[in-house]
Amino acid sequence: MSYDKELAAAKKAATLAAHLCQKVQKALLQSDVHSKSDKSPVTVANYGSQALVSLTLERELPSQQFSLVAEEDSGDLREESGQDTLRRITDLVNDTIANEGPHSFSILTIDDVLKAIDSGKSEGGSIGRHWVLDPIDGTKGFVRGDQYAIALALLDEGKVVLGVLACPNLPLATIGHNEQHSSSNEVGCLFFAKVGDGTYLQALDGSTQTKVNVSAVDNPEEASFFESYEAAHSSHDLSSTIAEKLGVKAPPVRIDSQAKYGALSRGDGAIYLNFPHKISVRTLYFSLTLLFYFDFSMLE
């Protein structure tokens, strides 16, 4: 099965969501940032992104049974305290659709948007097809004005068959120690792949498309490594120690969200290090084993 129609729909959905997110981040208002019941930060962009992805996939693939596993639900928005936020989300979704030119969407009502958000309540499973979405991966980075991503994948009978990663703030030029090789200041990347066909990078505006490959660097001294921006997510001290043992000379590239995976897929860096603060003895043993392997292999 080629999954061409599904990939085209996923690219369109992620692109629309990215455009909405760009609009919100550009003019981020304090009133746009809220707290869900679990106290994690969430913005109108999370809800708007999920609604757009859901609406687009259902509209582009009308003959397929639709199942979406996603992060948000409309519970807080249905409360009286969420009505202003809900109206803003609805306006943003309609504005984003209207700005895309000719389309088959009619003006969406508040109920349409609530239904689209709640379409992400599927429990998934190993039978049938299920879309999986993170409407904004890296919310803290989004709120801060840095990197974030819209991550969308399709599972068919329990296997991942395609994926799309929209990174609205990621430069088209390489980042990290290779960034001097390009003078491009353009931002906005769309990475996409389907089973058996490799990974491609497309400008978010659709103007360019290239096949990408991971770094071919095999000398640690020439490699750069990525790690999470948030020190709370990973031990920067341990990463630094491991990088030093490996002989890595370049400073770390700290980047939010799954945007780091897109950058790594095109060879911007060669290594990604992520160590939880409460690291298990087994994980530490495995890490030290890797260090010994690299140390001895460099002596051969």
Side-chain angles (χ1 to χ4, degrees):
M1 187 167 292
S2 68
Y3 300 104
D4 286 340
K5 289 176 59 178
E6 291 81 357
L7 180 59
K11 289 169 63 179
K12 183 174 182 178
T15 299
L16 279 170
H19 289 167
L20 181 145
C21 292
Q22 285 177 316
K23 185 184 303 183
V24 175
Q25 192 186 53
K26 186 176 181 180
L28 190 64
L29 306 174
Q30 187 60 38
S31 59
D32 288 338
V33 183
H34 301 271
S35 241
K36 293 185 291 187
S37 55
D38 64 359
K39 305 303 181 184
S40 62
V42 66
T43 72
V44 294
N46 289 69
Y47 293 112
S49 173
Q50 182 161 314
L52 276 172
V53 169
S54 172
L55 288 162
T56 305
L57 291 177
E58 286 199 89
R59 189 63 60 94
E60 295 294 313
L61 304 167
S63 63
Q64 298 184 12
Q65 184 173 354
F66 185 66
S67 171
L68 175 66
V69 183
E71 184 175 359
E72 309 297 347
D73 67 67
S74 69
D76 290 342
L77 298 176
R78 294 178 185 272
E79 301 291 334
E80 184 176 349
S81 59
Q83 292 304 296
D84 288 344
T85 302
L86 178 56
R87 283 190 287 270
R88 175 151 170 73
I89 293 166
T90 303
D91 289 342
L92 279 166
V93 170
N94 279 315
D95 288 346
T96 302
I97 292 171
N99 288 335
E100 296 304 308
H103 54 80
S104 57
F105 286 101
S106 57
I107 299 298
L108 300 169
T109 66
I110 284 176
D111 286 339
D112 292 332
V113 171
L114 287 171
K115 181 180 178 182
I117 292 170
D118 285 337
S119 289
K121 287 184 176 181
S122 171
E123 295 183 359
S126 59
I127 299 174
R129 290 186 177 187
H130 306 281
W131 292 94
V132 182
L133 169 70
D134 191 336
I136 292 185
D137 178 61
T139 306
K140 289 183 179 179
F142 176 83
V143 172
R144 192 171 55 243
D146 291 336
Q147 298 296 333
Y148 63 98
I150 296 96
L152 178 63
L154 176 62
L155 278 69
D156 193 351
E157 303 300 327
K159 296 181 180 180
V160 180
V161 295
L162 68 84
V164 175
L165 188 68
C167 306
N169 279 347
L170 190 67
L172 286 174
T174 56
I175 62 174
H177 75 292
N178 292 321
E179 61 187 353
Q180 68 271 21
H181 296 323
S182 175
S183 59
S184 174
N185 294 319
E186 294 182 79
V187 298
C189 297
L190 186 71
F191 296 90
F192 58 93
K194 64 176 182 176
V195 62
D197 198 33
T199 302
Y200 293 81
L201 166 62
Q202 178 178 304
L204 202 54
D205 63 8
S207 59
T208 59
Q209 179 176 312
T210 56
K211 191 169 186 177
V212 299
N213 296 286
V214 296
S215 172
V217 171
D218 57 8
N219 181 355
E221 291 189 2
E222 299 174 1
S224 65
F225 76 93
F226 285 14
E227 62 182 358
S228 295
Y229 181 94
E230 296 282 346
H233 293 168
S234 178
S235 173
H236 288 172
D237 289 342
L238 181 54
S239 294
S240 177
T241 299
I242 291 176
E244 182 180 352
K245 289 287 187 181
L246 292 176
V248 176
K249 294 183 177 180
V253 177
R254 291 175 179 163
I255 179 172
D256 289 301
S257 80
Q258 293 183 55
K260 66 173 70 69
Y261 300 130
L264 286 167
S265 74
R266 68 181 183 187
D268 290 6
I271 304 167
Y272 171 48
L273 299 175
N274 182 23
F275 298 100
H277 289 282
K278 293 183 179 179
I279 189 169
S280 68
V281 173
R282 182 176 181 181
T283 302
L284 182 59
Y285 175 80
F286 177 70
S287 302
L288 291 174
T289 301
L290 284 177
L291 284 179
F292 283 124
Y293 168 76
F294 278 112
D295 283 344
F296 284 119
S297 67
M298 281 185 268
L299 293 176
E300 294 177 355

